[in-house]
Amino acid sequence: MRSIMGDYEETELRLGLPGAGGGGNEGETSRNNSGKRGFSETVDLKLNLNSNNSDGNQVEDMKQKNLIQASTDSAKPPSKTQVVGWPPVRSFRKNVLAVQKNTTATDDKSGGSSTAFVKVSVDGAPYLRKVDLKMYQSYQQLYDALSKMFSSFTIGNCGSQGLKDFMNESKLIDLLNGSDCVPTYEDKDGDWMLVGDVPWEMFVDACKRLRIMKGSEAIGLAPRTIERCKNRC
Amino acid sequence: MAYSFPEEVLEYVFAFLSSDKDRNAVSLVCKSWYEIERWCRRRIFIGNCYAVSPQIVIRRFPEVRAVKIKGKPHFADFNLVPEGWGAYLYPWISAMARSYPWLEEIKLKRMVVTDESLELISKSFKNFKVLVLSSCEGFTTDGLASIAANCRNLRELDLRESEVEDLSGHWLSHFPDNFTSLVSLNMSCLGSEVSFSALERLVSRCPNLKTLRLNRAVPVEKLPSLLRRAPQLVEFGTGAYSAEIQTDIFSNLVEAFSGCKHLKSLSGFWDVVPAYLPAMYNVCSRITSLNLSYATVQSPDLVELISQCPNLKCLWVLDYIEDAGLKALSSYCKDLQELRVFPSDPYGAEPNVSLTEQGLVTVSAGCPKLQSVLYFCRQMSNAALIAIARNRPNFIRFRLCIIEPQAPDYLTLEPLDTGFGAIVENCKELRRLSLSGLLTDRVFEYIGTHAKKLEMLSIAFAGDSDLGLHHVLSGCESLRKLEIRDCPFGHKALLANAAKLETMRSLWMSSCSVSYGACKLLGQKMPRLNVEVIDERGSPNSRPETCPVEKLYVYRTVAGPRVDKPDFVWTMDEDAALRLS
């Protein structure tokens, strides 16, 4: 019989509960009171994202455990937010439940879903991530979160500064012409659009998935986008 | 002696046998009984569409009127079966269209149904009456339009929990004006709005309509109009049950519900505004089945409603009911037989409601007829499980999902082996069991020893070694379906109990430790099983033989290896045959 307590202390794979000691809440975006998971919890494992130059090995290990594959040891499973098909809830039930949260005003006819999870792909990163757009109130917050999420993959200036530069329109054309990265999204019509043109709420509503493209590929987008940038600048 | 009865007499006698088991037994008595029986079998149940082929079925049973077919394994419900795996209906329909022109009923579960299949159904079977598509996918509302337009004698159209590509609500308008035979319509899984006037007219002209389950898009203020046209309804599912609070809507609802003297079952209730729930109170005394699993209403409102339903037999509800609500349930609803409590926030890190093991203990104590439970919660203890087992030895189905994988007894931090052990020991009629929480090989020893009537077992994140699996395979005499995920089981128990697998419908193992080599060996050893490896990493030949496979699906079959496999599925005996040649 293995030592249950020992195993539980050892495992670093489980998410800390909010407020519990050692939870992954180090200085992340503030959590609102509704109990929604903070960004730190959408990070699968306790990667210490605030530390720079995160350990490449650590990332590799985490990646191994992240992938759904048979493990020969009886290691603890990843946190429940990671495990495919667990808890065993049918998808049509998940969709219904996402429409509301346990707020006090249950007869409040708030339209629409209270979460907006979209896939995020970064060119060059080995796997995709998911973010809940409703966790953020502005493009800036989204970029901050994305930079931290993908900081372990060296994709040049697609760090926090690179994306912040993107916000700065005067640097935009430099970026597009240069080697840096461009955030794009697929909208409800299936078109790929440049992030940042429409008001934040409209973006959250329209965005189906995100792709951070490498600058060189984004040049394919460039004619239309550069036109727009020229018009804005 | 059998041969002194004329065939017609035997046929007449056999007609009273409805159970497949009895008919199968009868057909084994002698050749002439086999022949007589096969010509008069009208209903076929195929539990695994790949266990047999359409040709084999049609050859043996030429005069079938009703088929029920199941496709994907149960874990497909939780996205564990990759897209494109199989379970296509079309080959069955195309074969039956030729051979069963008088087919009346098709009931399917977890199959891929295309619009093409639906159209073929609608045109091939002149007397078609019943179509039930449970958890199916692959079709659009265009397919439904074909059914509506062409099936002149349709009685039942039930789309429960299917994934339909909703192109528009137009399909409903395809029922012809002279179509009056509808008895049951369940469109609750659809998103689009249907033409309300078409729906009203349909309901008006079908005097035998007993079941009407609307979809979310039908607003509450339109319900009275429908209920007034169908006072004979027995089962009714609302749409979104919310609106601005207006007294006339409320009073219309009250009046309309009052007119329905035969209502026994209610469902729907999306987006519930609690103030509208009392509109149903005067039908509640007859209600035996209540599905509130979409009703995001707090416990006090739920209790108010439930307290009006003394004859309730079946309740599906969200965990908003909380322990307090379950206590009320146990005191008001003494006839309760089935309870399902679904999680409102399954991915939340912390409990959002006050629902614990105590709720289940209370219900098990207070409801003497309770036999079927599905319960999601966040904490459990051996003590609670033991109490539940002692309270309710009459459980037939017990499915417990403790949300955190491998969660121990929260009081003692021990595994939950003894708790589940008590369940199988006390509940001698248990047919279905789903385990969760921290479990060692011990629990499987208890299950193998006591669960002699167990037919279906679901295991996740449990056990220590092959010994656990061995206990189950060697001890559970009635086992038909075994599904396992994320357990440290390798090949030893599997190979040692290979013969057992031929007595079962199927075995599913994913994220376990069964090596590719072992799968090949099993496939070679057992020619009457299809041993299928599902692996999205590419051919298992590209990895060492000791490498565990992602997913394994083993089932008995008389149809040989599948011919419609996608590129991520490999049948083991096929490979072996190829290598030997």
Side-chain angles (χ1 to χ4, degrees), chain B residues 132-163:
Chain B
V132 176
L133 302 175
S134 175
S135 303
C136 294
E137 50 159 1
F139 58 104
T140 77
T141 41
D142 285 353
L144 298 179
S146 315
I147 298 284
N150 300 319
C151 300
R152 298 303 165 107
N153 296 309
L154 193 71
R155 297 224 184 112
E156 265 186 63
L157 179 59
D158 185 339
L159 305 173
R160 58 178 84 149
E161 301 176 1
S162 288
E163 253 182 64

mmCIF file of all heavy atoms in Angstrom, chain B residues 132-163:
data_model
loop_
_atom_site.group_PDB
_atom_site.id
_atom_site.type_symbol
_atom_site.label_atom_id
_atom_site.label_comp_id
_atom_site.label_asym_id
_atom_site.label_seq_id
_atom_site.Cartn_x
_atom_site.Cartn_y
_atom_site.Cartn_z
ATOM 1 N N VAL B 132 -35.638 6.389 -33.521
ATOM 2 C CA VAL B 132 -35.048 6.912 -32.301
ATOM 3 C C VAL B 132 -33.550 7.016 -32.523
ATOM 4 O O VAL B 132 -32.900 6.024 -32.812
ATOM 5 C CB VAL B 132 -35.338 5.989 -31.088
ATOM 6 C CG1 VAL B 132 -34.626 6.521 -29.849
ATOM 7 C CG2 VAL B 132 -36.827 5.868 -30.839
ATOM 8 N N LEU B 133 -33.028 8.234 -32.418
ATOM 9 C CA LEU B 133 -31.589 8.456 -32.621
ATOM 10 C C LEU B 133 -31.022 8.975 -31.311
ATOM 11 O O LEU B 133 -31.132 10.159 -31.004
ATOM 12 C CB LEU B 133 -31.371 9.465 -33.746
ATOM 13 C CG LEU B 133 -31.975 9.069 -35.093
ATOM 14 C CD1 LEU B 133 -31.811 10.184 -36.115
ATOM 15 C CD2 LEU B 133 -31.311 7.801 -35.610
ATOM 16 N N SER B 134 -30.432 8.077 -30.561
ATOM 17 C CA SER B 134 -29.944 8.423 -29.235
ATOM 18 C C SER B 134 -28.434 8.624 -29.307
ATOM 19 O O SER B 134 -27.703 7.726 -29.714
ATOM 20 C CB SER B 134 -30.298 7.271 -28.280
ATOM 21 O OG SER B 134 -29.760 7.503 -27.018
ATOM 22 N N SER B 135 -27.982 9.828 -28.956
ATOM 23 C CA SER B 135 -26.547 10.141 -28.991
ATOM 24 C C SER B 135 -25.916 9.823 -30.330
ATOM 25 O O SER B 135 -24.789 9.337 -30.399
ATOM 26 C CB SER B 135 -25.802 9.373 -27.887
ATOM 27 O OG SER B 135 -26.342 9.675 -26.644
ATOM 28 N N CYS B 136 -26.631 10.080 -31.387
ATOM 29 C CA CYS B 136 -26.085 9.880 -32.727
ATOM 30 C C CYS B 136 -25.539 11.201 -33.275
ATOM 31 O O CYS B 136 -25.684 12.246 -32.648
ATOM 32 C CB CYS B 136 -27.163 9.316 -33.659
ATOM 33 S SG CYS B 136 -27.696 7.663 -33.191
ATOM 34 N N GLU B 137 -24.906 11.119 -34.445
ATOM 35 C CA GLU B 137 -24.354 12.331 -35.027
ATOM 36 C C GLU B 137 -24.173 12.093 -36.517
ATOM 37 O O GLU B 137 -24.338 10.968 -36.997
ATOM 38 C CB GLU B 137 -22.997 12.657 -34.405
ATOM 39 C CG GLU B 137 -22.061 11.475 -34.408
ATOM 40 C CD GLU B 137 -20.605 11.829 -34.297
ATOM 41 O OE1 GLU B 137 -20.268 13.010 -34.187
ATOM 42 O OE2 GLU B 137 -19.797 10.895 -34.351
ATOM 43 N N GLY B 138 -23.829 13.155 -37.246
ATOM 44 C CA GLY B 138 -23.497 13.002 -38.648
ATOM 45 C C GLY B 138 -24.583 13.458 -39.595
ATOM 46 O O GLY B 138 -24.406 13.428 -40.807
ATOM 47 N N PHE B 139 -25.716 13.898 -39.043
ATOM 48 C CA PHE B 139 -26.796 14.314 -39.937
ATOM 49 C C PHE B 139 -27.181 15.765 -39.663
ATOM 50 O O PHE B 139 -26.780 16.363 -38.669
ATOM 51 C CB PHE B 139 -28.020 13.396 -39.800
ATOM 52 C CG PHE B 139 -28.607 13.321 -38.411
ATOM 53 C CD1 PHE B 139 -29.782 14.004 -38.098
ATOM 54 C CD2 PHE B 139 -28.020 12.549 -37.409
ATOM 55 C CE1 PHE B 139 -30.337 13.920 -36.821
ATOM 56 C CE2 PHE B 139 -28.557 12.462 -36.135
ATOM 57 C CZ PHE B 139 -29.733 13.154 -35.846
ATOM 58 N N THR B 140 -27.943 16.294 -40.614
ATOM 59 C CA THR B 140 -28.381 17.686 -40.480
ATOM 60 C C THR B 140 -29.907 17.719 -40.451
ATOM 61 O O THR B 140 -30.575 16.697 -40.630
ATOM 62 C CB THR B 140 -27.904 18.535 -41.674
ATOM 63 O OG1 THR B 140 -28.727 18.263 -42.815
ATOM 64 C CG2 THR B 140 -26.459 18.234 -42.024
ATOM 65 N N THR B 141 -30.433 18.896 -40.317
ATOM 66 C CA THR B 141 -31.889 19.046 -40.306
ATOM 67 C C THR B 141 -32.479 18.728 -41.676
ATOM 68 O O THR B 141 -33.675 18.453 -41.788
ATOM 69 C CB THR B 141 -32.290 20.455 -39.847
ATOM 70 O OG1 THR B 141 -31.399 21.410 -40.446
ATOM 71 C CG2 THR B 141 -32.159 20.586 -38.333
ATOM 72 N N ASP B 142 -31.643 18.725 -42.721
ATOM 73 C CA ASP B 142 -32.145 18.307 -44.035
ATOM 74 C C ASP B 142 -32.580 16.852 -44.009
ATOM 75 O O ASP B 142 -33.579 16.463 -44.620
ATOM 76 C CB ASP B 142 -31.051 18.473 -45.107
ATOM 77 C CG ASP B 142 -30.858 19.934 -45.484
ATOM 78 O OD1 ASP B 142 -31.668 20.782 -45.019
ATOM 79 O OD2 ASP B 142 -29.911 20.234 -46.225
ATOM 80 N N GLY B 143 -31.800 16.033 -43.306
ATOM 81 C CA GLY B 143 -32.176 14.627 -43.180
ATOM 82 C C GLY B 143 -33.514 14.485 -42.484
ATOM 83 O O GLY B 143 -34.347 13.650 -42.851
ATOM 84 N N LEU B 144 -33.725 15.311 -41.467
ATOM 85 C CA LEU B 144 -35.001 15.276 -40.752
ATOM 86 C C LEU B 144 -36.143 15.672 -41.674
ATOM 87 O O LEU B 144 -37.257 15.142 -41.572
ATOM 88 C CB LEU B 144 -34.957 16.206 -39.542
ATOM 89 C CG LEU B 144 -33.921 15.855 -38.482
ATOM 90 C CD1 LEU B 144 -33.954 16.866 -37.356
ATOM 91 C CD2 LEU B 144 -34.163 14.454 -37.935
ATOM 92 N N ALA B 145 -35.853 16.610 -42.559
ATOM 93 C CA ALA B 145 -36.898 17.043 -43.501
ATOM 94 C C ALA B 145 -37.346 15.874 -44.373
ATOM 95 O O ALA B 145 -38.542 15.712 -44.634
ATOM 96 C CB ALA B 145 -36.383 18.201 -44.354
ATOM 97 N N SER B 146 -36.396 15.041 -44.803
ATOM 98 C CA SER B 146 -36.788 13.866 -45.614
ATOM 99 C C SER B 146 -37.711 12.961 -44.828
ATOM 100 O O SER B 146 -38.699 12.453 -45.359
ATOM 101 C CB SER B 146 -35.594 13.007 -46.024
ATOM 102 O OG SER B 146 -34.540 13.756 -46.482
ATOM 103 N N ILE B 147 -37.363 12.731 -43.585
ATOM 104 C CA ILE B 147 -38.192 11.863 -42.750
ATOM 105 C C ILE B 147 -39.584 12.453 -42.609
ATOM 106 O O ILE B 147 -40.603 11.764 -42.796
ATOM 107 C CB ILE B 147 -37.559 11.662 -41.361
ATOM 108 C CG1 ILE B 147 -36.199 10.973 -41.464
ATOM 109 C CG2 ILE B 147 -38.482 10.912 -40.423
ATOM 110 C CD1 ILE B 147 -36.265 9.486 -41.741
ATOM 111 N N ALA B 148 -39.628 13.737 -42.313
ATOM 112 C CA ALA B 148 -40.931 14.386 -42.116
ATOM 113 C C ALA B 148 -41.765 14.318 -43.380
ATOM 114 O O ALA B 148 -42.966 14.058 -43.346
ATOM 115 C CB ALA B 148 -40.734 15.841 -41.680
ATOM 116 N N ALA B 149 -41.110 14.543 -44.504
ATOM 117 C CA ALA B 149 -41.859 14.635 -45.759
ATOM 118 C C ALA B 149 -42.359 13.286 -46.250
ATOM 119 O O ALA B 149 -43.455 13.197 -46.805
ATOM 120 C CB ALA B 149 -40.981 15.270 -46.831
ATOM 121 N N ASN B 150 -41.594 12.231 -46.048
ATOM 122 C CA ASN B 150 -41.882 10.970 -46.722
ATOM 123 C C ASN B 150 -42.472 9.859 -45.864
ATOM 124 O O ASN B 150 -43.028 8.912 -46.399
ATOM 125 C CB ASN B 150 -40.599 10.428 -47.379
ATOM 126 C CG ASN B 150 -40.045 11.395 -48.401
ATOM 127 O OD1 ASN B 150 -40.795 11.999 -49.157
ATOM 128 N ND2 ASN B 150 -38.741 11.563 -48.387
ATOM 129 N N CYS B 151 -42.318 9.958 -44.552
ATOM 130 C CA CYS B 151 -42.788 8.850 -43.707
ATOM 131 C C CYS B 151 -44.224 9.110 -43.294
ATOM 132 O O CYS B 151 -44.487 9.718 -42.258
ATOM 133 C CB CYS B 151 -41.888 8.697 -42.483
ATOM 134 S SG CYS B 151 -40.187 8.342 -42.923
ATOM 135 N N ARG B 152 -45.137 8.593 -44.120
ATOM 136 C CA ARG B 152 -46.545 8.942 -43.940
ATOM 137 C C ARG B 152 -47.152 8.360 -42.683
ATOM 138 O O ARG B 152 -48.183 8.840 -42.219
ATOM 139 C CB ARG B 152 -47.350 8.458 -45.148
ATOM 140 C CG ARG B 152 -46.925 9.109 -46.445
ATOM 141 C CD ARG B 152 -47.033 10.609 -46.318
ATOM 142 N NE ARG B 152 -46.352 11.336 -47.342
ATOM 143 C CZ ARG B 152 -46.961 11.980 -48.331
ATOM 144 N NH1 ARG B 152 -48.263 11.956 -48.433
ATOM 145 N NH2 ARG B 152 -46.251 12.653 -49.215
ATOM 146 N N ASN B 153 -46.545 7.297 -42.178
ATOM 147 C CA ASN B 153 -47.123 6.636 -41.003
ATOM 148 C C ASN B 153 -46.259 6.816 -39.770
ATOM 149 O O ASN B 153 -46.373 6.051 -38.822
ATOM 150 C CB ASN B 153 -47.285 5.138 -41.275
ATOM 151 C CG ASN B 153 -48.271 4.882 -42.385
ATOM 152 O OD1 ASN B 153 -49.381 5.406 -42.356
ATOM 153 N ND2 ASN B 153 -47.863 4.122 -43.376
ATOM 154 N N LEU B 154 -45.424 7.840 -39.790
ATOM 155 C CA LEU B 154 -44.485 8.011 -38.685
ATOM 156 C C LEU B 154 -45.211 8.210 -37.372
ATOM 157 O O LEU B 154 -46.145 9.004 -37.277
ATOM 158 C CB LEU B 154 -43.577 9.210 -38.965
ATOM 159 C CG LEU B 154 -42.363 9.323 -38.048
ATOM 160 C CD1 LEU B 154 -41.362 8.220 -38.373
ATOM 161 C CD2 LEU B 154 -41.701 10.685 -38.196
ATOM 162 N N ARG B 155 -44.752 7.472 -36.348
ATOM 163 C CA ARG B 155 -45.337 7.667 -35.019
ATOM 164 C C ARG B 155 -44.350 8.352 -34.081
ATOM 165 O O ARG B 155 -44.703 9.162 -33.263
ATOM 166 C CB ARG B 155 -45.704 6.316 -34.400
ATOM 167 C CG ARG B 155 -46.735 5.577 -35.163
ATOM 168 C CD ARG B 155 -47.788 4.982 -34.248
ATOM 169 N NE ARG B 155 -48.701 4.199 -35.066
ATOM 170 C CZ ARG B 155 -48.808 2.883 -35.008
ATOM 171 N NH1 ARG B 155 -48.087 2.194 -34.136
ATOM 172 N NH2 ARG B 155 -49.637 2.255 -35.804
ATOM 173 N N GLU B 156 -43.087 7.926 -34.184
ATOM 174 C CA GLU B 156 -42.125 8.455 -33.222
ATOM 175 C C GLU B 156 -40.912 9.024 -33.925
ATOM 176 O O GLU B 156 -40.326 8.347 -34.779
ATOM 177 C CB GLU B 156 -41.595 7.310 -32.353
ATOM 178 C CG GLU B 156 -42.284 7.110 -31.045
ATOM 179 C CD GLU B 156 -41.588 6.054 -30.207
ATOM 180 O OE1 GLU B 156 -40.412 6.252 -29.832
ATOM 181 O OE2 GLU B 156 -42.243 5.024 -29.953
ATOM 182 N N LEU B 157 -40.550 10.236 -33.542
ATOM 183 C CA LEU B 157 -39.286 10.811 -33.991
ATOM 184 C C LEU B 157 -38.592 11.357 -32.755
ATOM 185 O O LEU B 157 -39.006 12.360 -32.180
ATOM 186 C CB LEU B 157 -39.529 11.926 -35.013
ATOM 187 C CG LEU B 157 -38.273 12.628 -35.532
ATOM 188 C CD1 LEU B 157 -37.325 11.639 -36.199
ATOM 189 C CD2 LEU B 157 -38.634 13.739 -36.514
ATOM 190 N N ASP B 158 -37.552 10.643 -32.322
ATOM 191 C CA ASP B 158 -36.914 10.972 -31.048
ATOM 192 C C ASP B 158 -35.425 11.163 -31.287
ATOM 193 O O ASP B 158 -34.745 10.212 -31.633
ATOM 194 C CB ASP B 158 -37.187 9.836 -30.055
ATOM 195 C CG ASP B 158 -36.668 10.139 -28.658
ATOM 196 O OD1 ASP B 158 -35.775 10.989 -28.512
ATOM 197 O OD2 ASP B 158 -37.166 9.522 -27.698
ATOM 198 N N LEU B 159 -34.950 12.378 -31.094
ATOM 199 C CA LEU B 159 -33.550 12.691 -31.399
ATOM 200 C C LEU B 159 -32.703 12.824 -30.145
ATOM 201 O O LEU B 159 -31.692 13.505 -30.157
ATOM 202 C CB LEU B 159 -33.490 14.023 -32.161
ATOM 203 C CG LEU B 159 -34.336 14.089 -33.421
ATOM 204 C CD1 LEU B 159 -34.320 15.488 -33.989
ATOM 205 C CD2 LEU B 159 -33.827 13.089 -34.446
ATOM 206 N N ARG B 160 -33.080 12.174 -29.100
ATOM 207 C CA ARG B 160 -32.491 12.446 -27.799
ATOM 208 C C ARG B 160 -30.971 12.510 -27.810
ATOM 209 O O ARG B 160 -30.289 11.588 -28.188
ATOM 210 C CB ARG B 160 -32.940 11.386 -26.785
ATOM 211 C CG ARG B 160 -32.610 9.968 -27.164
ATOM 212 C CD ARG B 160 -33.043 9.046 -26.073
ATOM 213 N NE ARG B 160 -34.454 8.714 -26.218
ATOM 214 C CZ ARG B 160 -35.001 7.575 -25.853
ATOM 215 N NH1 ARG B 160 -34.263 6.646 -25.296
ATOM 216 N NH2 ARG B 160 -36.290 7.356 -26.009
ATOM 217 N N GLU B 161 -30.483 13.633 -27.350
ATOM 218 C CA GLU B 161 -29.054 13.843 -27.099
ATOM 219 C C GLU B 161 -28.177 13.637 -28.325
ATOM 220 O O GLU B 161 -26.992 13.377 -28.206
ATOM 221 C CB GLU B 161 -28.592 12.926 -25.951
ATOM 222 C CG GLU B 161 -29.359 13.206 -24.679
ATOM 223 C CD GLU B 161 -29.013 12.266 -23.534
ATOM 224 O OE1 GLU B 161 -28.146 11.398 -23.726
ATOM 225 O OE2 GLU B 161 -29.608 12.425 -22.462
ATOM 226 N N SER B 162 -28.766 13.739 -29.518
ATOM 227 C CA SER B 162 -27.953 13.600 -30.716
ATOM 228 C C SER B 162 -27.340 14.937 -31.088
ATOM 229 O O SER B 162 -27.816 15.990 -30.692
ATOM 230 C CB SER B 162 -28.805 13.107 -31.892
ATOM 231 O OG SER B 162 -29.141 11.757 -31.719
ATOM 232 N N GLU B 163 -26.272 14.852 -31.864
ATOM 233 C CA GLU B 163 -25.625 16.072 -32.337
ATOM 234 C C GLU B 163 -26.044 16.300 -33.772
ATOM 235 O O GLU B 163 -25.571 15.614 -34.674
ATOM 236 C CB GLU B 163 -24.112 15.874 -32.307
ATOM 237 C CG GLU B 163 -23.415 16.633 -31.212
ATOM 238 C CD GLU B 163 -21.913 16.423 -31.288
ATOM 239 O OE1 GLU B 163 -21.301 16.841 -32.284
ATOM 240 O OE2 GLU B 163 -21.402 15.808 -30.342
#
